[in-house]
Structure formats: structure tokens, C-alpha cells
Amino acid sequence: RQFNQWLEQGTLKQAIAIKYLNGKITLHLFIDIPDKPKKINGKIVGCDVGYNKLLVTSENNIYGKDIKQIVDKIHRRTSGSKKQEKSVDERKHYINQELNKIDLTNIKTLVIEDIKNLKKNRKIGKLQFWSYKQVFDKLERLCQENCVSLVKVNPAYTSQECSVCSFIDKTNRLGETFVCKSCGYIADADYN
């Protein structure tokens, strides 16, 4: 269904890519879809991609409350096993399902943290199964299809800064709760 929608909007390229990975052969087709003009009317909405909750918007919409359980399941499975592979597929399906619930109708710009090299050169344990790239790629496609601008911002201090008074302190965040040491504002840390 999605392929047919894209085919209606663009033209199939004369190139394919065949990849063999983890015992699976995948075929990649390319469709050239012309860019549509971005929306000029609508809201600007910020998004926090997280490990415990897949996505929390600045409008306090929460998507993917069960992602942590799926990531934990992947972590518990034996590396490279069929069960781990099934759990990875479950995560991929769950992310697509949850992000498809986002209503981009009245949104002109979606703002997201530009997280890079998070997993590079560090002991990360379960974080190695975090799926930021998949979430970002899906959001990028959804924004493109809905003529929404996707803006990446520097993530420095975003988890420590109060959204009410802009006070920054590393002790403002206490796990999943945000408590501003300056103005006393209390909220879910991802929502803040």
C-alpha cells in the first residue's frame, strides 16, 4: 500500500540494491518523488526521542510507552539468535505503528534533537538496542510526505533546562521527573 502511494507521487528509478545481511536478502527499490512546498501555516512542535518512552511532544502527546519492555527483551535474548531477531523485528514494527499515530495535519515544523555518536566509544549496555536512527528516519519520511519541515537542534543541556524559566542545572532532572531548582516547575522530564 505504501509503495503504491509513493509510486503515484513519483517515478520508479532504473536502479535497485540487493543486500545480504544476517542470512536475509533484501531488495531496495528507489522512487524519485519531487519535493512539495513545505507548510507555512501551523504549529511548531518539539519532540523528545527517549529510551523509556519512544517519543514525547511539546504538546504532551506520548507515543510508544512500551518501547522499554521491547528493548529489554532484545537485550535479554542471546546475541544473534532467532528470538533476538524476532524481537528486533517487533521493535521495528512497534516504532512504525506508534509513529504513524502522529497527526501532522496542523503542524508546519517538527523539532528534534540532533543526537550523534551516542553509542560510540562507551559502555552502553542496553542502550546499544536503542533505536534513535530508526525513529529519526521514520519521522523524516512522515514529515516529507506531509510537507512538514523537520529541524534538528543541538541537544546540549536540553534535559537540564527548564522550559518555563530557562534555568539550567544538572540536578533539575531526577530520572523521569523534572524539578526546576529555580522556579519549582515540575513535569515529566521528557515533556519538559
Side-chain angles (χ1 to χ4, degrees), residues 24 72 74 103 139:
K24 290 183 180 179
D72 288 346
I74 295 169
D103 182 12
L139 283 175

Side-chain angles (χ1 to χ4, degrees), residues 30-188:
F30 301 94
I31 299 174
D32 188 18
I33 300 174
D35 286 336
K36 298 178 199 169
K38 300 293 183 193
K39 292 180 189 174
I40 54 172
N41 296 320
K43 300 179 276 188
I44 298 173
V45 175
C47 295
D48 181 77
V49 178
Y51 178 78
N52 294 320
K53 292 175 231 115
L54 186 63
L55 188 81
V56 179
T57 69
S58 56
E59 297 179 319
N60 206 17
N61 295 320
I62 300 171
Y63 301 94
K65 293 177 183 176
D66 298 327
I67 191 68
K68 188 175 185 323
Q69 288 88 347
I70 296 170
V71 172
D72 288 346
K73 188 191 308 183
I74 295 169
H75 183 69
R76 286 191 310 268
R77 305 286 190 219
T78 304
S79 184
S81 70
K82 292 268 187 207
K83 285 186 177 184
Q84 188 184 48
E85 234 176 86
K86 274 188 170 185
S87 297
V88 169
D89 286 344
E90 179 186 355
R91 180 190 64 194
K92 183 177 180 182
H93 177 72
Y94 182 74
I95 289 170
N96 284 328
Q97 188 179 18
E98 287 297 305
L99 294 184
N100 281 335
K101 293 177 183 176
I102 300 172
D103 182 12
L104 296 171
T105 310
N106 297 318
I107 296 174
K108 70 173 181 178
T109 305
L110 203 61
V111 181
I112 189 168
E113 293 173 316
D114 187 15
I115 300 174
K116 295 178 185 168
N117 302 324
L118 185 67
K119 300 176 186 177
K120 193 175 183 180
N121 299 329
R122 78 171 62 165
K123 291 185 176 183
I124 52 174
K126 293 179 188 175
L127 204 54
Q128 70 181 331
F129 302 109
W130 190 39
S131 48
Y132 175 81
K133 182 169 177 15
Q134 184 186 349
V135 172
F136 179 77
D137 290 347
K138 177 69 176 182
L139 283 175
E140 196 170 37
R141 281 193 307 273
L142 287 171
C143 286
Q144 187 177 25
E145 290 168 10
N146 291 281
C147 303
V148 173
S149 297
L150 183 64
V151 176
K152 294 185 203 176
V153 295
N154 185 345
Y157 306 108
T158 55
S159 64
Q160 302 172 13
E161 182 177 354
C162 179
S163 59
V164 174
C165 70
S166 300
F167 177 71
I168 298 173
D169 189 330
K170 63 175 118 179
T171 61
N172 280 348
R173 183 164 182 162
L174 306 166
E176 290 292 305
T177 306
F178 183 90
V179 181
C180 181
K181 302 298 181 206
S182 177
C183 71
Y185 174 68
I186 299 172
D188 176 88

Side-chain angles (χ1 to χ4, degrees), residues 15-32:
I16 62 169
I18 300 172
K19 293 185 179 180
Y20 182 77
L21 183 65
N22 298 331
K24 290 183 180 179
I25 297 174
T26 58
L27 175 69
H28 297 261
L29 302 171
F30 301 94
I31 299 174
D32 188 18

